[in-house]
Amino acid sequence: MVTRREVYYYAHYNSNNRLPGLLEPVYDIFRMSYPEGQTEKIADNAFWPRISSDSNNLVYVSINPDSGKNELYVANADGSNAKRIILSGSLAPDIIDAPIFSPDGGHVFFSAPPPQAYQPNWFEKLMGIQVVKAHEIPSDWWSVPV
């Protein structure tokens, strides 16, 4: 009889480390082998863990709890050798959600709100005028090479 071993990844909200003045809640990524494995913390201040189709790599979003800025990381499946995927340019998003690997593992797709086309001028900001939205924040899909 062959027993199948599976590894589960999850983000855990760490309410014990909630410090005054932080913009965001603190999440950490854990993994656990099933059925008899132990829980293992593999990334701090991170969420949205996704494993590659070959189970060798992990992509996740890391958050700076002081600024709220998101950063995209790729690591080995055990969390080691984490490397930041640099997003540059004037359109680089500050909010990153739902990263996933392409089927061949060569790219990471993620969701991010598009840059706001209209920016209020100084007078409109002074008067409290805001951009009207018909629904919740939309998102675009982005692709970056690993």
Side-chain angles (χ1 to χ4, degrees), residues 71-91:
E71 294 175 334
L72 199 56
Y73 279 83
V74 173
N76 294 335
D78 64 0
S80 66
N81 199 29
K83 294 181 179 146
R84 183 174 162 217
I85 296 176
I86 305 294
L87 306 174
S88 61
S90 62
L91 298 178

CSV table of all heavy atoms in Angstrom, one decimal, residues 71-91:
chain,number,residue,atom,x,y,z
A,71,GLU,N,4.7,43.4,-2.2
A,71,GLU,CA,5.8,43.0,-3.0
A,71,GLU,C,5.6,41.6,-3.3
A,71,GLU,O,5.2,40.8,-2.5
A,71,GLU,CB,7.2,43.2,-2.3
A,71,GLU,CG,7.5,44.7,-2.0
A,71,GLU,CD,8.7,44.9,-1.2
A,71,GLU,OE1,9.1,44.0,-0.4
A,71,GLU,OE2,9.3,46.0,-1.3
A,72,LEU,N,6.0,41.2,-4.5
A,72,LEU,CA,5.9,39.8,-5.0
A,72,LEU,C,7.2,39.1,-4.9
A,72,LEU,O,8.3,39.6,-5.2
A,72,LEU,CB,5.5,39.9,-6.5
A,72,LEU,CG,4.9,38.8,-7.2
A,72,LEU,CD1,3.6,38.3,-6.5
A,72,LEU,CD2,4.6,39.1,-8.7
A,73,TYR,N,7.1,37.8,-4.3
A,73,TYR,CA,8.3,37.0,-4.1
A,73,TYR,C,8.1,35.6,-4.7
A,73,TYR,O,7.0,35.1,-4.7
A,73,TYR,CB,8.5,36.8,-2.6
A,73,TYR,CG,9.2,38.0,-2.0
A,73,TYR,CD1,8.6,39.1,-1.6
A,73,TYR,CD2,10.6,38.0,-1.8
A,73,TYR,CE1,9.2,40.2,-1.0
A,73,TYR,CE2,11.3,39.0,-1.2
A,73,TYR,CZ,10.6,40.2,-0.8
A,73,TYR,OH,11.2,41.2,-0.3
A,74,VAL,N,9.2,35.0,-5.1
A,74,VAL,CA,9.3,33.6,-5.6
A,74,VAL,C,10.3,33.0,-4.7
A,74,VAL,O,11.4,33.6,-4.4
A,74,VAL,CB,9.7,33.5,-7.0
A,74,VAL,CG1,9.9,32.1,-7.4
A,74,VAL,CG2,8.6,34.1,-7.9
A,75,ALA,N,10.0,31.8,-4.2
A,75,ALA,CA,10.9,31.0,-3.3
A,75,ALA,C,10.9,29.5,-3.7
A,75,ALA,O,10.0,29.1,-4.5
A,75,ALA,CB,10.5,31.2,-1.9
A,76,ASN,N,11.8,28.8,-3.1
A,76,ASN,CA,11.7,27.3,-3.2
A,76,ASN,C,10.4,26.9,-2.4
A,76,ASN,O,9.9,27.7,-1.6
A,76,ASN,CB,12.9,26.7,-2.6
A,76,ASN,CG,14.2,26.9,-3.3
A,76,ASN,OD1,14.1,27.2,-4.5
A,76,ASN,ND2,15.3,26.9,-2.6
A,77,ALA,N,9.9,25.7,-2.7
A,77,ALA,CA,8.7,25.3,-2.1
A,77,ALA,C,8.7,25.3,-0.5
A,77,ALA,O,7.7,25.4,0.1
A,77,ALA,CB,8.3,23.9,-2.6
A,78,ASP,N,9.9,25.2,0.0
A,78,ASP,CA,10.1,25.2,1.5
A,78,ASP,C,10.3,26.6,2.0
A,78,ASP,O,10.5,26.8,3.2
A,78,ASP,CB,11.2,24.3,1.9
A,78,ASP,CG,12.6,24.8,1.5
A,78,ASP,OD1,12.7,25.8,0.8
A,78,ASP,OD2,13.6,24.1,1.8
A,79,GLY,N,10.2,27.6,1.2
A,79,GLY,CA,10.3,29.0,1.6
A,79,GLY,C,11.7,29.5,1.5
A,79,GLY,O,11.9,30.8,1.7
A,80,SER,N,12.7,28.7,1.3
A,80,SER,CA,14.1,29.1,1.2
A,80,SER,C,14.4,29.8,-0.1
A,80,SER,O,13.6,29.7,-1.1
A,80,SER,CB,15.0,28.0,1.4
A,80,SER,OG,14.9,27.1,0.3
A,81,ASN,N,15.4,30.6,-0.1
A,81,ASN,CA,15.9,31.2,-1.3
A,81,ASN,C,14.9,32.2,-1.9
A,81,ASN,O,14.7,32.3,-3.1
A,81,ASN,CB,16.4,30.2,-2.4
A,81,ASN,CG,17.3,30.8,-3.4
A,81,ASN,OD1,18.0,31.8,-3.2
A,81,ASN,ND2,17.2,30.2,-4.6
A,82,ALA,N,14.2,32.9,-1.1
A,82,ALA,CA,13.2,33.9,-1.5
A,82,ALA,C,13.8,35.0,-2.3
A,82,ALA,O,14.8,35.6,-1.8
A,82,ALA,CB,12.4,34.4,-0.3
A,83,LYS,N,13.2,35.4,-3.4
A,83,LYS,CA,13.7,36.5,-4.3
A,83,LYS,C,12.5,37.3,-4.6
A,83,LYS,O,11.5,36.9,-5.1
A,83,LYS,CB,14.4,35.9,-5.5
A,83,LYS,CG,15.6,35.2,-5.2
A,83,LYS,CD,16.3,34.7,-6.5
A,83,LYS,CE,17.6,33.9,-6.1
A,83,LYS,NZ,17.9,32.8,-6.9
A,84,ARG,N,12.7,38.6,-4.5
A,84,ARG,CA,11.7,39.6,-4.9
A,84,ARG,C,11.6,39.7,-6.4
A,84,ARG,O,12.7,39.8,-7.0
A,84,ARG,CB,12.0,40.9,-4.2
A,84,ARG,CG,11.0,42.0,-4.5
A,84,ARG,CD,11.3,43.2,-3.7
A,84,ARG,NE,10.5,44.3,-4.2
A,84,ARG,CZ,10.9,45.6,-4.4
A,84,ARG,NH1,12.1,45.9,-3.9
A,84,ARG,NH2,10.2,46.5,-4.9
A,85,ILE,N,10.4,39.7,-6.9
A,85,ILE,CA,10.2,40.1,-8.3
A,85,ILE,C,10.1,41.6,-8.4
A,85,ILE,O,9.1,42.1,-7.8
A,85,ILE,CB,9.0,39.3,-8.9
A,85,ILE,CG1,9.2,37.8,-8.8
A,85,ILE,CG2,8.7,39.8,-10.3
A,85,ILE,CD1,8.0,37.0,-9.3
A,86,ILE,N,11.0,42.2,-9.0
A,86,ILE,CA,11.0,43.7,-9.1
A,86,ILE,C,9.9,44.1,-10.1
A,86,ILE,O,10.0,43.7,-11.3
A,86,ILE,CB,12.4,44.2,-9.5
A,86,ILE,CG1,13.4,43.7,-8.5
A,86,ILE,CG2,12.3,45.8,-9.6
A,86,ILE,CD1,13.3,44.2,-7.1
A,87,LEU,N,9.0,45.0,-9.7
A,87,LEU,CA,8.1,45.6,-10.6
A,87,LEU,C,8.5,47.1,-10.7
A,87,LEU,O,8.5,47.8,-9.6
A,87,LEU,CB,6.7,45.5,-10.1
A,87,LEU,CG,6.2,44.1,-9.7
A,87,LEU,CD1,4.8,44.1,-9.1
A,87,LEU,CD2,6.2,43.2,-11.0
A,88,SER,N,8.8,47.6,-11.8
A,88,SER,CA,9.3,48.9,-11.9
A,88,SER,C,8.5,49.7,-13.0
A,88,SER,O,7.7,49.2,-13.7
A,88,SER,CB,10.8,48.9,-12.4
A,88,SER,OG,10.9,48.3,-13.6
A,89,GLY,N,8.7,51.0,-13.0
A,89,GLY,CA,8.0,51.9,-13.9
A,89,GLY,C,6.9,52.7,-13.2
A,89,GLY,O,6.5,52.4,-12.1
A,90,SER,N,6.4,53.6,-13.9
A,90,SER,CA,5.3,54.5,-13.3
A,90,SER,C,4.0,53.8,-13.1
A,90,SER,O,3.2,54.2,-12.3
A,90,SER,CB,5.1,55.7,-14.2
A,90,SER,OG,4.7,55.4,-15.5
A,91,LEU,N,3.8,52.7,-13.8
A,91,LEU,CA,2.5,52.0,-13.7
A,91,LEU,C,2.6,50.8,-12.7
A,91,LEU,O,1.6,50.0,-12.6
A,91,LEU,CB,2.0,51.5,-15.0
A,91,LEU,CG,1.7,52.6,-16.1
A,91,LEU,CD1,1.3,52.0,-17.4
A,91,LEU,CD2,0.7,53.6,-15.6
